[in-house]
Amino acid sequence: ETGVTQTPRHLVMGMTNKKSLKCEQHLGHNAMYWYKQSAKKPLELMFVYNFKEQTENNSVPSRFSPECPNSSHLFLHLHTLQPEDSALYLCASSPRVMNTEAFFGQGTRLTVV
Amino acid sequence: DQQVKQNSPSLSVQEGRISILNCDYTNSMFDYFLWYKKYPAEGPTFLISISSIKDKNEDGRFTVFLNKSAKHLSLHIVPSQPGDSAVYFCAASARYGGSQGNLIFGKGTKLSVKP
């Protein structure tokens, strides 16, 4: 078991679709994160959750909507995305915010057509 | 403007030799630095870290060096093995002076270790 599990691994969606990415961690961590990795760009932090509360939104467009129902689960709801949103979306967790050794999931490869 | 830069997109090394991966940063508030390793189709995995109060941290074949005055860190892998072939990401954090939990990543360096 990898500790941080993301589903689905691959997703193709149209610009008018609504879909959700799921992340689950079995490490007992209290902080969870969404990162985006576009081609030839560094990993970019999107959202930070600490004890289920969102503590950071890194200027992410509203077509990305995160949800953290508990410390073990994190969702990213996607709505009316653009082709330039195609990227690898990575979930991560850490024991607490500012404990910066984050553990990453395998990512969801998203393609918007 | 990138705060963490890995200027070499790729590096090729012979098995058994030393691999040196470099990273430069611009934000003097960074006080914690990490290296992550990523295989294809997998998420990044934590490799080694260093606090700004140190200039060296060693873990087996992996050593990270930090030169604060030059705002430069490097990862040394000795001896290099074919299984080390992966993309290596440098990351930095300002734990007490910046956004909580905000790891700033470089673009990565793809290391290829030839048998």
Side-chain angles (χ1 to χ4, degrees):
Chain A
E1 191 170 277
T2 59
V4 180
T5 305
Q6 289 186 244
T7 53
R9 294 292 308 279
H10 300 273
L11 178 62
V12 179
M13 60 185 288
M15 288 190 282
T16 58
N17 291 158
K18 288 185 184 179
K19 296 284 184 186
S20 296
L21 309 185
K22 179 182 176 183
C23 177
E24 188 173 357
Q25 57 97 0
H26 308 281
L27 301 168
H29 291 169
N30 294 311
M32 295 189 78
Y33 313 84
W34 279 115
Y35 282 86
K36 174 184 178 181
Q37 186 178 25
S38 304
K40 299 192 195 288
K41 286 189 177 180
L43 275 150
E44 298 170 280
L45 180 68
M46 299 174 74
F47 301 105
V48 180
Y49 276 83
N50 188 32
F51 290 98
K52 304 186 300 177
E53 299 298 320
Q54 187 181 134
T55 59
E56 184 153 346
N57 175 337
N58 212 21
S59 303
V60 181
S62 59
R63 57 186 185 269
F64 295 91
S65 174
E67 179 191 0
C68 189
N70 54 62
S71 293
S72 299
H73 294 85
L74 186 64
F75 295 89
L76 188 62
H77 303 299
L78 314 172
H79 178 50
T80 59
L81 295 193
Q82 305 297 313
E84 57 265 29
D85 295 322
S86 299
L88 179 68
Y89 289 85
L90 287 157
C91 172
S93 71
S94 61
R96 58 187 185 276
V97 170
M98 287 178 60
N99 180 310
T100 50
E101 292 170 17
F103 293 76
F104 284 83
Q106 293 174 300
T108 296
R109 174 67 63 185
L110 174 68
T111 303
V112 182
V113 297
Chain B
D1 186 34
Q2 274 190 270
Q3 297 185 65
V4 177
K5 298 178 185 177
Q6 293 178 257
N7 292 318
S8 298
S10 64
L11 175 67
S12 184
V13 170
Q14 204 65 33
E15 180 179 7
R17 302 286 197 127
I18 185 170
S19 294
I20 300 177
L21 297 113
N22 294 303
C23 179
D24 297 292
Y25 62 95
T26 58
N27 189 342
S28 56
M29 298 296 291
F30 288 150
D31 59 2
Y32 195 63
F33 305 87
L34 307 90
W35 285 94
Y36 280 82
K37 175 179 176 180
K38 185 180 183 302
Y39 292 117
E42 294 184 13
T45 54
F46 170 73
L47 191 58
I48 192 169
S49 63
I50 188 166
S51 165
S52 59
I53 62 173
K54 295 186 175 182
D55 53 20
K56 177 183 174 181
N57 188 24
E58 190 172 350
D59 183 2
R61 296 185 298 113
F62 302 90
T63 302
V64 56
F65 295 92
L66 176 64
N67 182 334
K68 288 188 291 293
S69 60
K71 294 192 177 68
H72 176 84
L73 64 154
S74 60
L75 174 68
H76 293 212
I77 307 174
V78 181
S80 301
Q81 299 173 354
D84 296 328
S85 298
V87 178
Y88 289 79
F89 292 99
C90 172
S93 172
R95 290 178 296 177
Y96 304 105
S99 297
Q100 291 186 1
N102 199 349
L103 280 176
I104 309 295
F105 283 84
K107 290 185 179 180
T109 296
K110 184 176 182 180
L111 174 66
S112 300
V113 181
K114 311 279 185 202

